Amino acid sequence: MKRVLLSISLILGLLATSNAQESYTVKSPDGKISVVVSAQNGKPQYTVAYDGKTVIAPSALGVKTNIGDFTSGLKIDNSTAEIDIYNTYSLPNIKQSTVNDVAKSILIDFSKDGKNSFHVVFRVSNRDVAFRYILTDSKDTKVCVINGEASEFNLPDGTTTFLCPQAKPMGGFARTSPSYETPYTVDDATGKNGWGNGYTFPCLFKEPDNTWVLISETGTDGKYVGCRLLNIGGPKYQIGFPQEEELNGFGSTSVQMALPGRTPWRTITLGGLNNIVETTVAFDLPEKRYEPSQKYIYSKGSWSWIIGMDPSCNYDEQKRYIDFSAAMGYQSVLIDAFWDSAIGYDKIADLAKYGREKGVGLFLWYNSNGSWNDAPQTPIGKMNNSRIRRQEMKWMQDNGIRGIKVDFFGGDKQQMLQLYEDILSDANDFGLLVIFHGCTLPRGWEKMFPNYAASEAVLASENLHFGQGACDNEAFNACLHPFIRNTVGSMDFGGSALNKFYSADNKHGTVRRTSDVFALAVAVLFQSAVQHFALAPNNLTDAPAWAIDFMKKVPTTWDEVKFIDGYPGKYVILARRNGNKWFIVGINAQKETLKTTLTLPMFAAGSTVKQYSDDDQLNGSVKDVKVNKKQQVSITIPCNGGVVITQ
Ligand code: CA
């Protein structure tokens, strides 16, 4: 499946050290992206240019460790071969099922005090630049501690930002922050540092020449920490390690590493918004950590908690949701917090059996704690201990439970990243899929952990229930995720409500401002191979039949994605393909109605497609539309409305 060809275009490693160059350049396969790595006054640095224009100005590289400061006093020693990478892989649970990843890679050796123990690897595809560090061992040195990275991203003056702040630790609900649930600020100036603690990955920037840049990281597991992006003045940003107070102030913010060791990848996706939306860099780079214990079933399901909250977590209501999922042709039900006391293990086993007879599997909620925050929800004390966790998972396997949703993690320190990895690998032993909530950003986990399903790491649908402000801003936020959070990893949003109100009687509570067609569009727009939609049993009778029919059939796995048009926070139109079937979806957050004509080469001229759209009062309807000779279809999307076009 994976082929790596050595073109041996440069075997500079064969050259004597004294012949080492001052700098090395590596270009993307199409030659448009150019990365130059050098050492200036002993400090390693890199620059990135796109079509000859600077995208990343000279920016520092390096790490500070307890076996040496690899940020200064360094000199380029020599370079090994430049490698052409042809990497074809298949992943059923990301935006594109088969990826042909083509890139060029170079490894630069740096020496310090005559010793050669620090290397930088750069990897450049036609839309992504990635780098990471390799630290080697020596006769007497087999471990190190990394206290920080010099890794910088210096953007041109005039760059604007689309960022969400990293939260202060031990704040928010039950002292559970940071959990990657902060609001975005868009079209903002550089030179700020969020709420004082930097920004949550991924971070989107627009440069003055309209080049878009998405900075993130991938390949992180229990061997490293989860990082954030710190502003260090003007348009300069730097990798930041976790904050001291995370994990209830316990544990180190540094990395403990066995040598030889490799850091996660720092990624820079650049170009047009199509590159930002379609990039697969988060999945191209990391390697699978273990084989799946079984073929995992990705599916859609229902979830009572989002509409009914904690009181809905009872036997009768969950049985009703199993019936509802079965009526929708869905394959799962997610049972949220307090099921252990409100339903009990034996009755959950009964529900699992009842569901199985109807083709509906159960996902069960768990508290990740532990001792890192005050979240009181139960079951608790089951996922933080290997012996108890595996007993619990054995019980789940014996009763045919489909997967788990684990919530309220304690930040990004190394031992918390190790807990994510341990939960995933244990769950794989018992054939369970894993959804994370109140959690960090997934960093290539779809590739690394075959039973990983999705993560929240976003202001998700619960906020639509909790506050009217989130409902009023729903379209704005939804117009950000395809460009930022969701482009680097599966997003467990739990949306697409067709209730008018977020309450069980559908008569009180927060009011949904977006249209029914918007809900349909979002079911395609938000990518996650496992989806638990915010639909309710009453929607079988109180929602339009065309909307329910669409939600019954909408896929959750995709073969291809194409960006069509949009602007972060304003509107977005994209196309996803499942098999031979294309879904073109759009939503609009702008006050003005969006009227445009889309060229859709996936549809034959003269063919008939179904178009779901809204009138100016957000009343939806579906009609057959003919694709014209130029393969075009005209669309109109009012504010808070949507459009869906499909065969
Ligand atoms: Ca949450």
Side-chain angles (χ1 to χ4, degrees):
M1 192 169 81
K2 187 172 173 180
R3 291 181 301 141
V4 176
L5 298 184
L6 292 172
S7 74
I8 319 205
S9 54
L10 287 165
I11 310 207
L12 295 161
L14 296 175
L15 299 176
T17 302
S18 57
N19 289 346
Q21 292 173 220
E22 297 290 305
S23 69
Y24 286 97
T25 301
V26 57
K27 291 190 172 188
S28 55
D30 67 3
K32 284 191 173 178
I33 301 176
S34 175
V35 177
V36 180
V37 183
S38 62
Q40 299 290 330
N41 302 320
K43 296 189 171 183
Q45 65 171 44
Y46 74 104
T47 60
V48 179
Y50 184 62
D51 269 340
K53 283 176 285 186
T54 300
V55 173
I56 305 281
S59 298
L61 296 166
V63 289
K64 284 197 159 114
T65 80
N66 68 346
I67 57 165
D69 177 358
F70 299 111
T71 65
S72 63
L74 292 162
K75 114 174 158 43
I76 292 187
D77 215 24
N78 51 42
S79 165
T80 57
E82 182 179 295
I83 299 172
D84 287 342
I85 295 166
Y86 300 95
N87 174 25
T88 297
Y89 65 92
S90 293
L91 273 182
N93 53 341
I94 62 167
K95 63 181 86 174
Q96 184 167 328
S97 59
T98 298
V99 177
N100 293 310
D101 166 36
V102 180
K104 286 186 182 287
S105 177
I106 193 166
L107 182 146
I108 317 273
D109 294 340
F110 287 91
S111 67
K112 179 161 185 165
D113 305 329
K115 280 188 266 180
N116 181 264
S117 49
F118 175 69
H119 317 280
V120 182
V121 179
F122 267 87
R123 193 181 185 283
V124 187
S125 75
N126 289 344
R127 61 187 171 201
D128 311 289
V129 173
F131 64 89
R132 74 164 165 198
Y133 308 116
I134 299 176
L135 293 154
T136 50
D137 61 341
S138 64
K139 189 168 155 282
D140 300 318
T141 308
K142 304 294 178 191
V143 295
C144 77
V145 171
I146 300 178
N147 293 311
E149 290 193 22
S151 316
E152 285 178 4
F153 307 87
N154 295 336
L155 302 160
D157 283 331
T159 295
T160 52
T161 69
F162 300 72
L163 301 171
C164 66
Q166 183 84 356
K168 190 172 155 303
M170 303 305 289
F173 171 74
R175 299 197 293 166
T176 56
S177 69
S179 47
Y180 291 56
E181 295 169 291
T182 59
Y184 283 87
T185 302
V186 302
D187 288 307
D188 199 10
T190 58
K192 304 172 185 179
N193 198 31
W195 297 341
N197 313 299
Y199 299 97
T200 292
F201 284 126
C203 299
L204 182 65
F205 301 90
K206 186 185 169 206
E207 300 197 345
D209 68 348
N210 292 326
T211 301
W212 291 87
V213 175
L214 186 76
I215 297 173
S216 194
E217 62 177 1
T218 190
T220 310
D221 59 14
K223 292 190 173 68
Y224 217 76
V225 293
C227 295
R228 62 201 154 111
L229 197 64
L230 302 175
N231 182 274
I232 52 169
K236 296 185 169 196
Y237 295 84
Q238 187 174 44
I239 291 290
F241 273 18
Q243 302 169 79
E244 191 78 47
E245 303 86 350
E246 288 177 32
L247 200 70
N248 203 4
F250 196 75
S252 175
T253 61
S254 300
V255 173
Q256 190 184 54
M257 180 180 272
L259 300 174
R262 305 182 297 189
T263 69
W265 293 95
R266 314 277 153 231
T267 65
I268 305 160
T269 301
L270 55 111
L273 284 171
N274 57 324
N275 284 357
I276 304 296
V277 170
E278 296 166 17
T279 181
T280 52
V281 71
F283 319 106
D284 297 344
L285 300 169
E287 281 146 23
K288 200 195 292 182
R289 297 295 194 265
Y290 51 75
E291 290 301 317
S293 63
Q294 62 178 69
K295 191 174 177 351
Y296 287 101
I297 301 166
Y298 303 105
S299 63
K300 43 190 192 257
S302 65
W303 174 43
S304 73
W305 186 85
I306 186 60
I307 299 295
M309 297 269 127
D310 293 344
S312 73
C313 195
N314 62 70
Y315 181 87
D316 291 344
E317 191 65 352
Q318 295 312 314
K319 196 168 172 219
R320 195 165 79 99
Y321 266 77
I322 290 171
D323 291 340
F324 173 53
S325 268
M328 293 295 290
Y330 289 2
Q331 301 84 12
S332 65
V333 159
L334 165 63
I335 303 182
D336 222 282
F338 296 121
W339 58 263
D340 56 329
S341 55
I343 299 173
Y345 281 75
D346 291 347
K347 288 298 231 181
I348 285 285
D350 290 350
L351 283 172
K353 184 166 176 290
Y354 181 73
R356 201 154 51 244
E357 287 158 8
K358 301 204 153 206
V360 177
L362 301 187
F363 280 77
L364 298 180
W365 187 96
Y366 281 87
N367 192 325
S368 75
N369 276 292
S371 46
W372 28 91
N373 57 52
D374 303 321
Q377 281 88 342
T378 62
I380 193 167
K382 305 279 190 184
M383 286 293 139
N384 59 311
N385 173 283
S386 173
R387 176 179 54 81
I388 299 169
R389 181 169 65 229
R390 291 181 68 87
Q391 277 172 9
E392 195 81 359
M393 289 176 171
K394 174 76 168 68
W395 169 80
M396 285 188 255
Q397 185 181 43
D398 290 345
N399 288 284
I401 302 299
R402 173 78 53 80
I404 52 175
K405 168 182 171 177
V406 190
D407 207 339
F408 299 131
F409 284 84
D412 288 332
K413 288 180 180 174
Q414 190 169 4
Q415 63 256 60
M416 198 50 37
L417 269 296
Q418 188 64 54
L419 179 65
Y420 285 105
E421 183 175 348
D422 290 346
I423 290 171
L424 282 160
S425 63
D426 278 351
N428 184 53
D429 290 347
F430 297 96
L432 298 165
L433 283 163
V434 181
I435 300 167
F436 293 121
H437 259 243
C439 59
T440 195
L441 181 78
R443 291 158 165 93
W445 293 357
E446 290 87 342
K447 177 94 161 282
M448 294 155 71
F449 309 113
N451 58 321
Y452 168 78
S455 298
E456 186 183 31
V458 67
L459 278 170
S461 60
E462 60 192 26
N463 296 284
L464 302 169
H465 192 128
F466 295 154
Q468 189 59 45
C471 290
D472 297 345
N473 279 320
E474 184 185 1
F476 165 74
N477 285 309
C479 286
L480 293 169
H481 303 321
F483 302 104
I484 310 176
R485 163 64 182 89
N486 203 188
T487 193
V488 301
S490 301
M491 185 173 78
D492 192 45
F493 189 85
S496 294
L498 288 172
N499 262 27
K500 190 73 197 156
F501 297 88
Y502 282 89
S503 63
D505 66 6
N506 200 9
K507 285 181 184 141
H508 73 281
T510 52
V511 187
R512 182 165 59 96
R513 301 292 189 208
T514 53
S515 74
D516 292 342
V517 180
F518 180 99
L520 273 43
V522 160
V524 174
L525 202 60
F526 292 172
Q527 181 270 320
S528 175
V530 174
Q531 296 246 27
H532 291 102
F533 294 120
L535 300 174
N538 51 286
N539 298 144
L540 288 171
T541 50
D542 64 12
W546 51 260
I548 288 294
D549 285 347
F550 181 89
M551 291 304 296
K552 283 179 178 174
K553 291 176 196 149
V554 66
T556 62
T557 55
W558 301 103
D559 295 304
E560 197 176 349
V561 58
K562 288 273 172 225
F563 173 72
I564 295 175
D565 197 5
Y567 187 95
K570 292 183 178 173
Y571 71 103
V572 58
I573 303 163
L574 61 74
R576 292 194 196 275
R577 178 174 65 80
N578 173 282
N580 296 321
K581 196 163 178 179
W582 282 95
F583 292 76
I584 288 80
V585 297
I587 56 171
N588 180 24
Q590 302 167 107
K591 281 205 179 70
E592 306 75 35
T593 294
L594 178 72
K595 289 184 185 184
T596 186
T597 299
L598 306 178
T599 301
L600 302 172
M602 57 285 282
F603 297 139
S607 63
T608 301
V609 292
K610 273 194 187 346
Q611 183 172 344
Y612 302 75
S613 51
D614 288 312
D615 67 15
D616 54 7
Q617 300 300 307
L618 295 180
N619 295 309
S621 63
V622 55
K623 58 177 191 282
D624 287 344
V625 170
K626 244 194 166 53
V627 180
N628 76 12
K629 276 186 208 153
K630 293 178 179 168
Q631 294 174 285
Q632 290 173 329
V633 173
S634 293
I635 61 161
T636 299
I637 317 178
C639 180
N640 291 328
V643 72
V644 177
I645 303 168
T646 188
Q647 286 117 318

